């Protein structure tokens, strides 16, 4: 019998936006969603503006006209429900594999965040219906391809809106895919009939790319800390010097990420009996003395630190987007226009989010690249300062970790290809009305793949470095390193010895890094790392 999972506190949405923690709680931990009284009041006030404009003979984009390049047509009142239904059906044109459940939940929650702002003009009951779907664990089927990241994530959001209307397919809380109408009925939810402006308001946002950015920020932050640990383990295994990690050296070049990474590495290496042998060798005699360690070791804080600072910039952009109301047109209330007005705008363009998604993919590629270079150094007997070739038990009879590094190198090669920016591309659409797009959804999708690859790359370095440390007979590793060695062996990752089937070991190492147990083992000795 599985232990009961502690309930997750509800996330309350108001008109002022939300937080990254709230998005992660809803997307990954299934937190229930509630709309505040202020949000419901803001929704009702904006809806009154839309209803007033809909009753007038003058055409208003999104309320009484077609959409995109078809906005020139004025739509009569008797066709407007059909218009809103049709935009959802026609825009739900995604293709390819399903995207992950957590991505769809983030997408829906962030669209609901903008609805709650009171700037979209939807009725309160539409927002409440979307919250009801999230709380019931109903996840619309959304496909990989269909968003250009301009006018927001149109196709992905359309598939969500389609399910809200009781059409298309969705995944239930049991993981089974069924018709959305059946799932709504099973949870006591009624399909929504959309009115003026509402179809467009459900589709026009950067919510998918923002949701993936927020999850990527959380995942990369954890991987950056893991990378500091693996770099320290490798430095130790190579009998390197920790003097290059001194705070006063990093103060000379005051990038905060660099200082944080160096501090993490120093904590891991505190009390090590392996560091400092770079000039004499571990037995006290001259042994290929080194004045300096190689760049991949010595410059680890500079590279990981640049990634940390890039991540900080990405989080600044994400926080601004979390406070935004992204829709077109938007409803503005108050000010000089009594009764409010509806205005077209370009705030749906995904460029700010797309850029940082691409920046993070570049940082991930470089972090993986330097980790692979450190791993290769551990395996090369000409550069590993006394370690056996490929860390093999009996080199020549055994191949050791030779092909583990091949696999790591293949992943790094793919990381470099994934670092090519999607946001530098643009494909015109909608009869040249949407003639410059961000490709932010594509940037987000490839970043998710990049972070998955980076996890594997760091796992291979950890696997090699822990084996190398254990091969340094007669020297005592740092207390934090010893904690890692105990934990990784308890996790089923084998130590030095004869050749064995490597894939299961590498999978176990990957799981050890991905789960956070690598960092947790270090922190059990050092206290919290940055």
């Amino acid at each position: 019998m599985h232990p009961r999972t502690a309930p997750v506190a509800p996330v309350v949405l108001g008109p002022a936006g939300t937080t990254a923690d709230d998005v992660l709680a809803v997307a990954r931990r299934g937190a229930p969603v509630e709309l505040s009284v202020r949000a419901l009041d803001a929704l009702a006030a904006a809806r009154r503006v839309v209803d007033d404009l809909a009753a007038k003979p003058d055409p208003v984009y999104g309320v009484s006209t077609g959409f995109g390049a078809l906005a020139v047509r004025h739509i009569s009142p008797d066709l407007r429900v059909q218009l809103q239904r049709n935009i959802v059906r026609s825009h739900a044109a995604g293709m390819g594999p399903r995207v992950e459940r957590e991505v769809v939940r983030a997408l829906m929650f962030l669209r609901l965040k903008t609805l709650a702002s009171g700037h979209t003009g939807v009725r309160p009951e539409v927002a409440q219906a979307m919250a009801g779907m999230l709380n019931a664990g109903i996840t619309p089927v959304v496909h990989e391809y269909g968003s250009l990241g301009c006018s927001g994530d149109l196709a992905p959001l359309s598939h969500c809106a389609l399910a809200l209307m009781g059409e298309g397919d969705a995944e239930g809380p049991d993981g089974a895919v069924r018709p959305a109408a059946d799932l709504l009925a099973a949870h006591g939810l009624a399909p929504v009939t959309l009115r003026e402006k509402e179809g467009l308001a459900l589709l026009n946002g950067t919510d998918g790319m923002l949701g993936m950015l927020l999850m990527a920020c959380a995942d990369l932050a954890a991987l950056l800390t893991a990378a500091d640990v693996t770099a320290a383990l490798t430095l130790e295994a190579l009998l390197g010097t920790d003097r290059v990690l001194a705070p006063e050296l990093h103060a000379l070049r005051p990038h905060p990420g660099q200082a944080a990474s160096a501090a993490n590495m120093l904590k891991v290496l505190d009390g090590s009996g392996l560091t400092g042998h770079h000039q004499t060798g571990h037995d006290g005699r001259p042994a290929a003395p080194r004045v300096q360690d190689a760049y991949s070791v010595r410059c680890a804080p500079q590279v990981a630190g640049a990634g940390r600072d890039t991540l900080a910039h990405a989080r600044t952009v994400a926080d601004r987007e979390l406070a935004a109301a992204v829709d077109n047109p938007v409803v503005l209330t108050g000010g000089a226009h009594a009764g409010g007005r509806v205005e077209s705008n370009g705030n749906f363009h995904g460029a700010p989010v797309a850029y940082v998604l691409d920046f993070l993919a570049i940082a991930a590629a470089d972090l993986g690249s330097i980790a692979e270079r450190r791993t290769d150094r551990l395996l090369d007997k000409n550069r590993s300062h006394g370690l056996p070739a490929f860390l093999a038990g009996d080199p020549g009879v055994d191949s050791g970790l030779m092909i583990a590094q091949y696999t790591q190198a293949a992943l790094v090669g793919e990381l470099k290809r994934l670092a090519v920016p999607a946001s530098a591309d643009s494909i015109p659409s909608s009869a040249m009305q949407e003639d410059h797009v961000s490709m932010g959804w594509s940037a987000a999708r490839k970043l998710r793949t990049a972070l998955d690859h980076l996890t594997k790359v760091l796992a291979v370095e950890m696997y090699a470095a822990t084996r190398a440390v254990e091969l340094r007979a007669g020297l005592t590793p740092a207390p934090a390193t010893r904690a890692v060695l105990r934990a990784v062996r308890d996790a089923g990752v084998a130590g030095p010895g004869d050749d064995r089937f490597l894939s299961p070991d590498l999978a176990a190492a990957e799981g050890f890094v991905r789960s956070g147990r690598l960092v947790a083992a270090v922190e059990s000795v050092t206290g919290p790392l940055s």
Side-chain angles (χ1 to χ4, degrees):
M1 186 172 176
H2 295 291
R4 185 179 296 276
T5 303
V8 184
V11 171
V12 180
L13 271 179
T18 189
T19 67
D21 286 343
D22 284 347
V23 175
L24 295 175
V26 173
R28 290 183 161 171
R29 299 193 295 278
V33 181
E34 299 174 3
L35 292 163
S36 72
V37 173
R38 289 183 61 223
L40 293 172
D41 288 345
L43 282 156
R47 185 64 204 180
R48 286 192 291 271
V49 175
V50 171
D51 287 341
D52 289 344
L53 291 170
K56 295 179 180 179
D58 301 325
V60 177
Y61 177 68
V63 176
S64 53
T65 70
F67 308 111
L70 301 175
V72 293
R73 178 177 172 183
H74 182 254
I75 307 299
S76 60
D78 60 306
L79 293 175
R80 290 177 189 169
V81 168
Q82 181 180 342
L83 171 70
Q84 301 302 318
R85 182 173 63 244
N86 285 353
I87 190 177
V88 173
R89 287 174 171 172
S90 65
H91 285 44
M95 295 181 73
R98 287 173 55 194
V99 302
E100 303 83 359
R101 181 177 184 270
E102 66 178 16
V103 172
V104 180
R105 286 186 61 83
L107 174 76
M108 293 173 64
F109 175 68
L110 287 166
R111 182 78 317 226
L112 182 59
K113 177 266 300 183
T114 285
L115 300 185
S117 72
H119 290 293
T120 68
V122 305
R123 290 166 294 153
E125 49 264 44
V126 174
Q128 290 171 317
M130 185 171 282
M133 277 184 61
L134 282 166
N135 293 341
I138 298 172
T139 306
V141 171
V142 173
H143 299 279
E144 182 87 20
Y145 302 105
S147 173
L148 298 179
C150 200
S151 285
D153 295 314
L154 283 172
L157 283 163
S158 297
H159 283 277
C160 296
L162 194 70
L164 199 66
M165 292 165 41
E167 300 183 22
D169 293 327
E171 178 186 307
D174 60 355
V177 175
R178 299 167 56 192
D182 294 349
L183 285 168
L184 292 176
H187 290 85
L189 302 174
V192 172
T193 300
L194 301 176
R195 288 170 44 183
E196 291 93 345
K197 176 74 173 63
E198 291 178 336
L200 190 60
L202 292 174
L203 315 187
N204 222 332
T206 54
D207 308 293
M209 62 184 92
L210 175 59
M212 286 186 276
L213 172 61
L214 291 164
M215 289 185 281
C217 284
D219 295 341
L220 181 56
L223 288 172
L224 283 160
T225 304
D228 293 338
V229 173
T230 62
L233 293 173
T234 297
L235 184 152
E236 196 171 18
L238 291 173
L239 307 178
T241 176
D242 59 0
R243 292 175 64 179
V244 296
L245 304 174
E248 57 269 28
L249 291 176
H250 295 278
L252 298 175
R253 194 185 190 194
H255 294 290
Q258 175 180 324
S261 284
N264 280 346
M265 291 181 67
L266 266 182
K267 287 182 179 180
V268 177
L269 295 170
D270 186 38
S272 174
L274 279 75
T275 58
H277 297 285
H278 58 295
Q279 291 186 325
T280 63
H282 71 272
D283 59 1
R285 296 194 305 269
R290 289 166 281 160
V291 176
Q292 302 177 119
D293 291 317
Y295 281 14
S296 60
V297 177
R298 186 172 15 129
C299 301
Q302 285 77 6
V303 172
R308 286 174 175 273
D309 293 340
T310 301
L311 175 60
H313 172 60
R315 282 177 157 159
T316 297
V317 172
D319 286 344
R320 292 169 182 159
E321 199 77 359
L322 283 168
V326 178
D327 194 14
N328 180 49
V330 292
V331 179
L332 299 174
T333 56
H337 295 263
R341 68 192 196 274
V342 171
E343 294 284 1
S344 292
N345 67 93
N347 284 342
F348 51 75
H349 200 286
V353 182
Y355 288 177
V356 292
L357 287 162
D358 280 334
F359 296 165
L360 294 182
I362 292 169
D366 202 31
L367 196 61
S369 181
I370 196 171
E372 183 275 329
R373 288 293 80 207
R374 290 192 296 262
T375 304
D376 183 67
R377 186 165 288 271
L378 287 167
L379 305 188
D380 184 352
K381 68 175 184 178
N382 296 312
R383 295 180 292 141
S384 65
H385 311 289
L387 291 169
F390 302 105
L391 306 181
D394 184 3
V397 175
D398 295 322
S399 295
L401 306 189
M402 180 192 295
I403 308 305
Q405 185 267 332
Y406 280 37
T407 300
Q408 189 188 42
L411 289 162
V412 169
E414 182 69 10
L415 276 168
K416 293 174 183 177
R417 291 186 287 275
L418 291 166
V420 175
S423 58
D425 188 19
S426 177
I427 298 178
S429 57
S430 192
M432 294 299 286
Q433 176 73 4
E434 298 171 9
D435 60 350
H436 184 80
V437 297
S438 78
M439 306 304 286
W441 174 274
S442 299
R445 296 305 297 165
K446 70 184 182 65
L447 177 58
R448 286 177 68 84
T449 302
L451 295 181
D452 183 70
H453 287 6
L454 178 58
T455 304
K456 294 178 172 67
V457 169
L458 294 177
V460 175
E461 183 184 14
M462 182 209 70
Y463 185 65
T466 52
R467 177 180 284 206
V469 167
E470 287 183 314
L471 288 168
R472 295 293 189 187
L475 294 176
T476 303
T481 302
R482 297 200 298 273
V484 170
L485 291 172
R486 287 192 298 271
V488 79
R489 300 299 171 241
D490 288 346
V493 182
D498 296 340
D499 278 357
R500 53 184 284 152
F501 180 21
L502 269 187
S503 283
D505 274 358
L506 296 178
E510 178 190 351
F512 189 74
V513 173
R514 190 180 300 279
S515 67
R517 284 177 288 169
L518 170 63
V519 173
V522 170
E523 290 182 331
S524 70
V525 174
T526 65
L529 299 177
S530 299

